[in-house]
């Protein structure tokens, strides 16, 4: 199971969980699993998701692979009107 | 993997390949380009900091002789939700103007004079609104709201607000942990709006053809960014826009967006002629991205022995007229260099009626480091611990987790601190009214997307084509990496910066990424060529590919292969290209991962004049981990330039606004940047802790150097004068007032 | 409005151009004569990017009215190197990496040459004060100052 660490700002959308374990092989799979468990989570996350997987930051991560022992952190995106 | 081997070119200091053109005046910058039949474009700017646009009448201007086009926001397509709305509204205001100098209309005419006169003929009726010129004003309960439809991201519905977004990070239980600390310091820090201060104003020429194709020549840090943003604003396919970079006269992050290009393209479409637009210095100050003003409330707790235990930070940053201050980066960096089991960081992006901020070298990090490094200096003094020892005792190392999740790999933080402690500067004697400050800086660095092509010529020299405008000598670094890989003379490599239809997609020159990421693409493109050269040698020798090795510019039989051919040099094989399979080209592209973070430690000595409050920087040493310095002279140059920009930020630079929101010092005379006579030599020490993921161990170097100086200077001023300045700049009147206050106490 | 006809010497050669009465020498050089090596950073005399010499005297060309150079001699950055031979100031700026973006470089070349023409053996402080009218935002001045001192030494040798 891949561990997903949820930032404070998003915990309201996943029943307050700080850490969620999901079964997935890619970031896309992680997002799908979260959405299945917490409907609306994806919308709260927004379009430009950045994540850190095992210490490495990915700005455009949808198809990046995750392993069962991976730890994934969402980085709050704060772009908005450049 | 960083390879440990002896290098022939990496680490040397060849003369840059574009150098002769730049010292003889032949190099063409943004404003140097011209096309036949070209018109001159000018922009009408708002005289109000905050107002509703009630009516625009351009008819008189349009009727003027010599005027060929007049444009307003009405000529731009409406943006879909989530599109380039803010950008579009920034380059031509639609319903409201949000800062003094905000573009409202544009004219193209046969001469610049006529265009300027035509601006006077445009009638605009405004309903003036109250300006919002500070964080306090923006956050006040009765604050005028810039955009009543906007809601704060990352917060429960707040109703209309000037807070555009909130972020936070946390770990442990800081509030409880403070209770167990021997000492807790709680301080507030402020910095003002400053400008990147590149010497070349923004400039472009745009030519929209009858078939709708747009060609742009401009000074930019990112040709592909200009292509993308211009296409977005004008509602065009990206393939309809071609961008050719001129030489660029500085940017520091400020030329990573567009101001003029879509407007020039629009005027060109309307007039059917090429349009040139060049900003004045006044326009650069008033209407291009400055760096964010900030307020940071910081609380840090430690043990008597100097172990950091807990910290909380609240950060507010001004985004200017539209959302997007670097507060997230500031929040991510502020506590990043130190081991802390308990922390809470909260950041707010706040809009005000000032120009929209743009990136400025390590955006957000200098303001954050000013706070943290000032507070640590105070803590060290209070605990009677050497400030370098205090930082060393709490320094992060490989495996430690950043406040926002990832873990550090190999980093050079401790190495820069140790190099500072061992540097003669740190023990040099100080005189009366003199003091020494130290400060540390951290920056993520970036990877992103790069492409590179390497073409071998028929005599075995090489052309390297990349898409990153060369802002500080990066062509030389590309050439060095190519020469090292192919084993040919660095001066026989010709590095080219190409347009968006010649180079493959490449992200901006920014994020300290060019030598790291684009250099890596060059290395990989060379390796494609090396494979091809080996294949050709095998063909010539009628042997297997595995029997051919490549080393130092030559193909040679693998040891033990039983072959006894004389080595074949790159040039020899290149001469045979026609008979061995045709042209020899290598291409590579990558999304570069693993940009190793940069760390720097700066030492600053100042002398304070107690009579005037004037601060003289008398000695300065910048120490930084470069991973591996490809061209050390340009690495030193980045360190020196960043340090001096930081010194300016600390001592003098700030935007001054009158009550109406008009910038009062929009000139180089009144916005005072450091000049040669203000400064000593800037000593540099390059520390090399190779970035393990990069083939040459490179880390970005361009941004980190501006992170430490704000606090290094402020700490030095404290030790020289006894006054701790928590608000920048430390200009003579402000310091004098603080000195007088201290004397009165 | 009729334009003024100006005859002058630029980089040793006779040049004629037309300009408005208020046109600056900087604009005339760049837009009328086609010498774009002289740069504009401010147009208010505060950055030195537009430095040229007028009868050997260092001036900001943005502050000089173009029509006033009639009958005088102007030297721009394009006139500093002799054919293939760079002036030592240019050569040393390259060797010391005294330029990053290079937009300030034409101004520094002209200003430093003007200094060395009159003061062959300047101190570091003299160099720093002479060049205080030339802004460089990229380098922090260190490598520029070293290059100028080195060029002075070479010229004396
Ligand atoms: S352009 Fe003349 S001094 Fe700046
Ligand atoms: S090298 Fe860029 S301003 Fe001097």
């Amino acid at each position: 199971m891949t561990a997903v660490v949820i930032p404070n700002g998003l915990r309201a959308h996943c029943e307050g969980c700080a850490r969620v374990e999901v079964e997935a092989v890619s970031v896309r799979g992680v997002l799908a699993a979260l959405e299945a468990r917490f409907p609306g989570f994806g919308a709260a996350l927004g379009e430009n998701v950045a994540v850190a997987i095992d210490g490495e930051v990915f700005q455009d991560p949808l198809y990046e692979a995750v392993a069962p022992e991976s730890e994934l952190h969402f980085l709050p995106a704060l772009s908005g009107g450049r | 993997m960083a390879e440990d081997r002896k290098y022939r070119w990496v680490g040397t200091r060849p003369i840059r390949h574009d150098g002769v053109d730049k010292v003889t005046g032949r190099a063409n910058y943004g404003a140097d380009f011209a096309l036949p039949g070209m018109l001159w474009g000018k922009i009408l700017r708002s005289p109000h900091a905050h107002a509703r646009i009630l009516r625009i009448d351009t008819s008189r201007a349009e009727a003027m002789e010599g005027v060929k086009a007049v444009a307003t926001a009405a000529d731009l397509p409406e943006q879909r939700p989530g599109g380039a709305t803010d950008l579009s509204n920034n380059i031509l205001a639609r319903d409201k103007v949000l800062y003094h100098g905000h573009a409202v209309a544009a004219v193209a005419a046969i001469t610049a004079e006529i265009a300027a006169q035509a601006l006077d003929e445009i009638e605009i009726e405004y309903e003036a609104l109250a300006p919002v010129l500070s964080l306090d004003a923006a956050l006040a309960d009765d604050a005028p709201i810039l955009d009543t439809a906007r809601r704060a991201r990352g917060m429960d519905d707040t109703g209309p607000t000037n807070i555009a977004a909130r972020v936070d990070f946390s770990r442990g239980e800081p509030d409880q942990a403070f209770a167990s600390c021997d000492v807790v310091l709680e301080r507030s820090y402020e910095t003002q709006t400053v400008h990147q201060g590149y010497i070349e104003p923004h400039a472009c020429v745009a030519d929209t053809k009858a078939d709708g194709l747009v060609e742009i020549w401009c000074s930019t840090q990112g040709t592909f960014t200009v292509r993308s943003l211009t296409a977005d604003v004008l509602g065009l396919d990206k393939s309809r826009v071609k961008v050719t970079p001129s030489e660029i006269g500085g940017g520091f992050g400020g030329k990573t967006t567009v101001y003029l290009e879509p407007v020039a393209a629009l005027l060109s479409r309307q007039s059917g002629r090429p349009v040139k637009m060049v900003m004045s210095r006044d326009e650069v100050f008033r209407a291009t991205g400055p760096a964010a003003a900030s307020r940071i409330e910081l609380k840090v707790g430690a043990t008597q022995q100097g172990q950091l235990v807990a910290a909380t930070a609240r950060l507010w940053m001004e985004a200017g007229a539209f959302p997007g201050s670097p507060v997230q980066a500031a929040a991510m960096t502020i506590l990043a260099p130190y081991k802390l089991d308990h922390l809470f960081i909260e950041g707010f992006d706040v809009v005000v009626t000032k120009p929209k901020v743009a990136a400025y070298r390590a955006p957000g990090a200098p303001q954050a480091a000013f706070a943290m490094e000032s507070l640590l200096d105070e803590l060290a003094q209070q605990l009677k611990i050497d400030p370098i020892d205090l930082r060393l005792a709490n320094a992060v190392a490989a495996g430690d987790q950043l406040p926002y999740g990832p873990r550090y790999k190999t980093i050079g933080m401790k190495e820069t601190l140790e190099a500072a402690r061992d540097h003669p500067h740190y023990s040099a004697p100080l005189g009366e009214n003199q003091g020494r400050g130290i400060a540390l800086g951290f920056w993520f660095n970036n990877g992103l997307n790069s492409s590179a092509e390497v073409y071998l010529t028929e005599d075995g020299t090489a052309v390297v084509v990349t898409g990153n405008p060369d802002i500080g000598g990066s062509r030389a670094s590309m050439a060095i990496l190519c020469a090292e890989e192919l084993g040919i003379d660095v001066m026989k490599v010709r590095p080219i910066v190409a347009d968006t239809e010649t180079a493959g997609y490449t992200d901006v020159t920014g994020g300290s990424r060019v030598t790291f990421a684009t250099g890596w693409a060059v290395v990989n493109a060379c390796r494609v060529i090396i494979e091809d050269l080996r294949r050709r040698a095998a063909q010539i020798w009628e042997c297997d590919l595995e029997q051919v090795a490549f080393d130092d510019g030559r193909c040679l039989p693998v040891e033990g292969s039983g072959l006894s051919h004389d080595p074949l040099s790159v040039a020899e094989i290149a001469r045979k290209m026609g008979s061995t399979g045709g042209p020899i080209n290598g291409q590579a592209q990558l999304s570069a991962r693993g940009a190793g973070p940069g760390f720097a430690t700066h030492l600053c000595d100042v002398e304070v004049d107690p009579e005037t409050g004037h601060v003289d920087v008398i000695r300065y040493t910048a120490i930084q981990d470069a991973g591996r310095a490809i061209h050390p002279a340009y690495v030193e140059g980045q360190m020196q330039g960043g340090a001096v920009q930081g010194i300016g930020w600390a001592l003098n630079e700030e935007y001054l606004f009158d009550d109406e929101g008009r910038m009062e010092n929009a000139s180089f005379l009144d916005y005072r940047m450091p000049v040669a006579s203000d400064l000593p030599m800037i000593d540099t020490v390059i520390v090399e802790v190779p970035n393990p993921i990069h083939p040459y161990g490179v880390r970005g170097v361009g941004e980190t150097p501006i992170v430490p100086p704000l606090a290094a200077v402020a700490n030095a001023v404290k030790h020289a004068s006894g006054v701790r300045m928590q608000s920048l700049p430390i200009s003579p009147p402000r310091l004098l007032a603080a000195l007088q206050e201290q004397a009165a106490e | 409005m009729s334009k003024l006809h100006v005859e002058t010497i630029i980089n040793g050669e006779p040049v004629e151009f037309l300009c408005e009465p208020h046109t600056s020498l900087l604009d005339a050089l760049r837009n009328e004569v086609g010498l774009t090596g002289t740069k504009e950073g401010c147009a208010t005399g505060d950055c030195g990017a537009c430095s040229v010499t007028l009868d050997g005297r260092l001036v900001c060309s943005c502050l000089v009215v173009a029509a006033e150079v009639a009958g005088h001699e102007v030297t721009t950055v394009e006139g500093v190197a002799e054919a293939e031979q760079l002036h030592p100031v240019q050569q040393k700026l390259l060797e010391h990496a005294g330029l990053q973006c290079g937009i300030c470089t034409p101004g520094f070349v002209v200003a430093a040459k003007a200094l060395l023409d009159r003061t062959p053996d300047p101190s570091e402080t003299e160099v720093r004060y002479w060049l205080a009218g030339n802004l460089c935002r990229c380098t922090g001045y260190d490598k520029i100052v070293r290059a100028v001192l080195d060029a002075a030494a070479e010229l004396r040798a």
Side-chain angles (χ1 to χ4, degrees):
Chain A
M1 295 280 261
T2 299
V4 182
V5 180
I6 314 284
N8 295 353
L10 283 170
R11 289 185 194 158
H13 302 279
C14 56
E15 298 164 7
C17 298
R19 197 180 168 90
V20 181
E21 306 237 310
V22 299
E23 199 102 46
V25 295
S26 71
V27 174
R28 185 169 52 164
V30 169
L31 295 177
L34 288 171
E35 181 65 26
R37 219 148 110 197
F38 310 113
F41 185 85
L45 200 54
E47 253 180 61
N48 305 317
V49 186
V51 303
I53 306 168
D54 301 325
E56 188 71 53
V57 177
F58 298 92
Q59 304 289 348
D60 194 3
L62 213 50
Y63 303 104
E64 296 296 338
V66 295
E69 63 281 6
S70 288
E71 189 179 81
L72 183 147
H73 290 253
F74 285 113
L75 307 183
L78 208 170
S79 50
R82 24 182 172 191
Chain B
M1 266 291 143
E3 295 146 25
D4 216 10
R5 58 177 217 238
K6 276 215 74 55
Y7 295 123
R8 184 136 70 104
W9 301 110
V10 167
T12 64
R13 303 174 178 234
I15 286 180
R16 61 194 287 167
H17 299 68
D18 51 334
V20 168
D21 278 356
K22 285 183 174 161
V23 295
T24 55
R26 283 198 194 86
N28 284 315
Y29 289 80
D32 299 339
F33 191 74
L35 283 177
M38 185 178 80
L39 304 174
W40 290 83
K42 292 241 182 254
I43 290 202
L44 181 65
R45 297 185 179 279
S46 166
H48 301 284
H50 193 191
R52 227 179 298 282
I53 301 172
L54 301 179
R55 187 178 63 91
I56 303 182
D57 182 352
T58 58
S59 54
R60 283 221 313 271
E62 280 164 46
M64 278 174 66
E65 175 134 5
V67 171
K68 300 293 178 187
V70 182
T72 67
D75 300 303
L76 293 173
E78 290 270 358
Q79 295 290 320
R80 63 174 176 83
T85 309
D86 290 349
L87 179 68
S88 178
N89 287 344
N90 194 32
I91 63 166
L92 281 174
R94 201 168 278 271
D95 307 315
K96 273 179 105 179
V97 289
L98 293 168
Y99 53 94
H100 181 264
H102 195 161
V104 188
V107 169
I110 54 171
T111 67
E113 289 75 28
I114 295 175
Q117 288 159 12
L119 296 183
D120 293 338
E121 300 300 320
I122 297 175
E123 259 179 75
I124 304 185
E125 202 180 312
Y126 293 100
E127 176 196 338
L129 303 168
V132 180
L133 295 169
S134 66
L135 290 165
D136 281 337
L139 299 172
D141 287 340
D142 57 348
I145 302 298
L146 271 67
D147 179 355
T148 49
R150 187 163 42 228
R151 295 294 179 270
R153 289 177 56 187
M155 289 170 84
D156 297 336
D157 189 10
T158 48
T161 170
N162 289 322
I163 298 177
R166 173 186 177 279
V167 287
D168 67 40
F169 305 97
S170 63
R171 175 194 299 163
E173 300 289 342
D175 288 336
Q176 288 159 31
F178 280 126
S180 72
C181 292
D182 298 321
V183 41
V184 176
L185 292 181
E186 198 170 354
R187 298 286 180 268
S188 172
Y189 302 88
E190 275 181 24
T191 68
Q192 302 304 317
T193 305
V194 299
H195 199 272
Q196 294 82 350
Y198 35 81
I199 306 300
E200 177 201 34
H202 299 255
C204 72
V205 175
D207 191 8
T208 305
K209 319 290 170 65
D211 59 3
L213 275 179
V214 178
E215 266 201 82
I216 295 171
W217 294 261
C218 65
S219 167
T220 177
Q221 290 175 248
T223 47
F224 290 88
T225 310
V226 173
R227 179 175 80 174
S228 168
L229 298 180
T230 302
D232 288 351
V233 170
L234 297 178
L236 300 173
D237 294 337
K238 306 222 190 304
S239 66
R240 307 299 283 171
V241 181
K242 173 183 179 183
V243 180
T244 304
S246 66
E247 296 303 326
I248 172 168
F252 315 109
K255 290 179 184 162
T256 55
T257 184
V258 293
Y259 300 99
L260 300 176
E261 290 83 352
V263 181
L266 178 61
L267 291 168
S268 174
R269 181 166 78 202
Q270 291 174 335
S271 62
R273 295 177 50 180
V275 174
K276 177 168 181 166
M277 300 185 85
V278 181
M279 280 196 197
S280 66
R281 178 56 50 185
D282 183 84
E283 289 179 290
V284 172
F285 272 121
R286 287 184 203 281
T288 70
S294 69
R295 181 195 304 144
I296 297 177
E297 287 172 5
L298 181 61
K299 181 174 173 185
V300 176
T303 65
Q304 195 60 41
Q305 292 70 39
Q307 200 62 48
L308 300 184
V309 175
T312 58
R314 301 185 81 204
L315 306 88
W316 294 263
M317 280 194 171
E318 291 182 3
F322 301 97
S325 79
V327 70
Q328 179 178 340
M332 287 161 79
T333 59
I334 186 164
L335 301 175
Y338 301 105
K339 283 190 190 160
L340 280 159
D341 291 334
H342 306 277
L343 57 84
F344 177 71
I345 308 167
E346 185 178 33
F348 298 92
D349 185 34
V350 182
V351 292
V352 294
T353 56
K354 295 184 186 177
K356 163 76 172 73
V357 300
Y360 181 17
R361 253 184 157 149
Q367 297 95 321
F370 170 57
M372 184 62 179
E373 297 296 310
S374 292
L375 190 142
L376 287 183
D377 193 66
E378 200 174 335
L379 186 66
Q381 212 179 3
Q382 199 160 324
L383 295 174
K384 301 195 170 43
I385 299 176
D386 175 274
I388 292 183
D389 290 343
L390 177 72
R391 288 168 172 83
L392 276 171
N394 293 284
V396 287
D400 286 334
Q401 193 170 31
L402 284 134
Y404 51 94
R407 289 181 189 282
Y408 283 110
K409 306 222 175 71
T410 311
I411 51 171
M413 172 170 169
K414 285 184 178 143
E415 286 78 355
T416 69
L417 285 163
E418 285 160 359
R421 190 187 54 198
D422 299 341
H423 194 280
H425 183 161
Y426 199 53
S427 48
L430 288 164
E432 207 186 335
N433 296 322
Q434 296 180 350
R436 176 164 303 140
I438 90 125
L440 180 97
F442 158 85
W443 182 244
F444 320 99
N445 292 328
N446 221 333
L448 302 177
N449 303 294
S450 287
S451 305
E453 282 92 40
V454 178
Y455 304 131
L456 222 54
T457 67
E458 358 15 325
D459 62 1
T461 56
V463 177
V464 176
V465 178
T466 65
N468 280 119
D470 178 356
I471 207 160
S474 60
R475 283 187 186 89
S477 294
M478 298 305 115
I480 288 174
L481 289 167
C482 174
E484 192 70 54
E485 282 290 318
L486 296 181
I488 60 180
D489 189 308
V490 71
M491 296 321 279
K492 294 193 172 167
V493 179
R494 173 112 175 107
I496 299 295
V497 177
D499 63 73
T500 52
E501 294 180 356
T502 307
Y505 182 88
T506 294
D507 280 318
V508 288
T509 296
S512 306
R513 60 175 292 278
V514 176
T515 305
F516 170 75
T518 307
W520 196 344
V522 169
V523 168
N524 287 354
C526 290
R527 289 182 180 180
V528 170
I529 287 183
I530 289 170
E531 278 314 291
D532 193 8
L533 292 170
R534 284 179 58 226
R535 187 194 59 71
R536 287 169 201 251
Q539 187 181 355
I540 293 166
W541 293 336
E542 299 180 359
C543 66
D544 291 338
L545 181 61
E546 290 67 43
Q547 294 176 292
V548 183
F550 184 88
D551 183 44
D552 198 19
R554 300 167 318 156
C555 286
L556 64 175
V558 169
E559 238 172 279
S561 65
L563 299 177
S564 59
H565 300 287
D566 287 341
L568 280 168
S569 70
V570 172
E572 282 167 310
I573 299 175
R575 275 196 291 274
K576 297 182 177 40
M577 66 168 70
S579 57
T580 55
I584 307 175
N585 303 322
Q587 202 223 332
Q589 49 276 317
L590 49 78
S591 179
R593 314 284 195 222
F599 284 94
T601 301
H602 286 195
L603 299 172
C604 173
D605 292 359
V606 301
E607 181 168 323
V608 171
D609 182 342
E611 306 296 316
T612 62
H614 176 84
V615 177
D616 205 7
V617 175
I618 54 173
R619 186 163 186 177
Y620 202 99
T621 304
I623 299 152
Q624 188 173 329
D625 174 18
R628 173 106 57 212
I630 301 300
H631 192 308
Y634 288 107
V635 173
E636 291 162 6
Q638 290 295 319
M639 294 161 68
Q640 293 165 331
V644 167
Q645 283 183 317
I647 290 170
W649 197 337
L651 289 179
N652 271 308
E653 297 179 29
E654 69 177 313
Y655 271 44
L656 300 169
F657 292 93
D658 68 13
D659 294 345
E660 311 283 288
R662 229 166 299 155
M663 184 181 177
E664 292 181 305
N665 58 336
S667 73
F668 279 146
L669 181 66
D670 299 316
Y671 181 93
R672 200 171 169 301
M673 311 199 303
V675 300
S677 55
D678 294 333
L679 296 160
M681 291 297 186
I682 308 294
D683 203 359
T684 56
V685 179
I686 300 174
V687 172
E688 293 188 316
V689 179
N691 179 2
I693 201 168
H694 189 275
Y696 286 87
V698 169
R699 294 175 198 275
V701 295
E703 292 169 288
T704 311
I706 203 172
V707 183
L710 282 55
V713 170
N715 292 342
V717 167
K718 159 71 189 171
H719 300 301
S721 68
V723 175
R724 183 163 292 283
M725 298 296 282
Q726 290 168 205
S727 173
L728 298 183
I730 309 173
S731 54
R734 283 170 172 237
L735 180 56
L736 194 59
L739 286 167
Q740 284 162 352
E741 204 175 302
Q742 173 178 255
E745 272 167 21
Chain C
M1 187 165 25
S2 74
K3 295 199 174 191
L4 301 174
H5 174 237
V6 179
E7 289 181 40
T8 179
I9 308 276
I10 301 179
N11 299 331
E13 284 170 15
V15 171
E16 298 176 41
F17 59 83
L18 297 176
C19 67
E20 307 286 346
H22 58 266
T23 303
S24 70
L25 175 58
L26 173 62
D27 283 344
L29 286 170
R30 291 179 52 83
N31 300 332
E32 310 303 330
V33 187
L35 290 175
T36 56
T38 306
K39 303 302 179 192
E40 175 178 319
C42 67
T44 51
D46 300 312
C47 79
C50 65
S51 299
V52 300
T53 58
L54 185 55
D55 297 335
R57 200 164 44 85
L58 183 65
V59 295
C60 291
S61 63
C62 68
L63 297 182
V64 175
V65 172
E68 285 180 359
V69 305
H72 295 275
E73 282 193 37
V74 178
T75 303
T76 70
V77 66
E78 288 95 339
V80 173
E82 310 228 357
E84 297 262 282
Q85 188 61 43
L86 294 180
H87 187 276
V89 165
Q90 294 169 311
Q91 183 62 32
K92 291 301 174 188
L93 279 168
L94 291 179
E95 288 173 12
H96 286 264
L99 52 144
Q100 285 175 29
C101 79
I103 193 79
C104 66
T105 309
F108 275 98
V109 165
V110 170
K113 178 178 180 295
L115 168 67
L116 301 187
D117 283 349
R118 75 179 56 201
T119 313
D121 192 7
S123 67
E124 182 191 328
T125 306
E126 278 176 289
V127 172
R128 286 187 179 276
Y129 277 90
W130 180 270
L131 297 178
N134 290 77
L135 289 177
C136 174
R137 191 62 157 171
C138 298
T139 64
Y141 306 101
D142 183 298
K143 292 182 190 302
I144 296 175
V145 173
R146 287 178 202 276
V148 173
L149 289 168
D150 199 6
E154 171 148 328
L155 279 164
R156 291 195 306 274

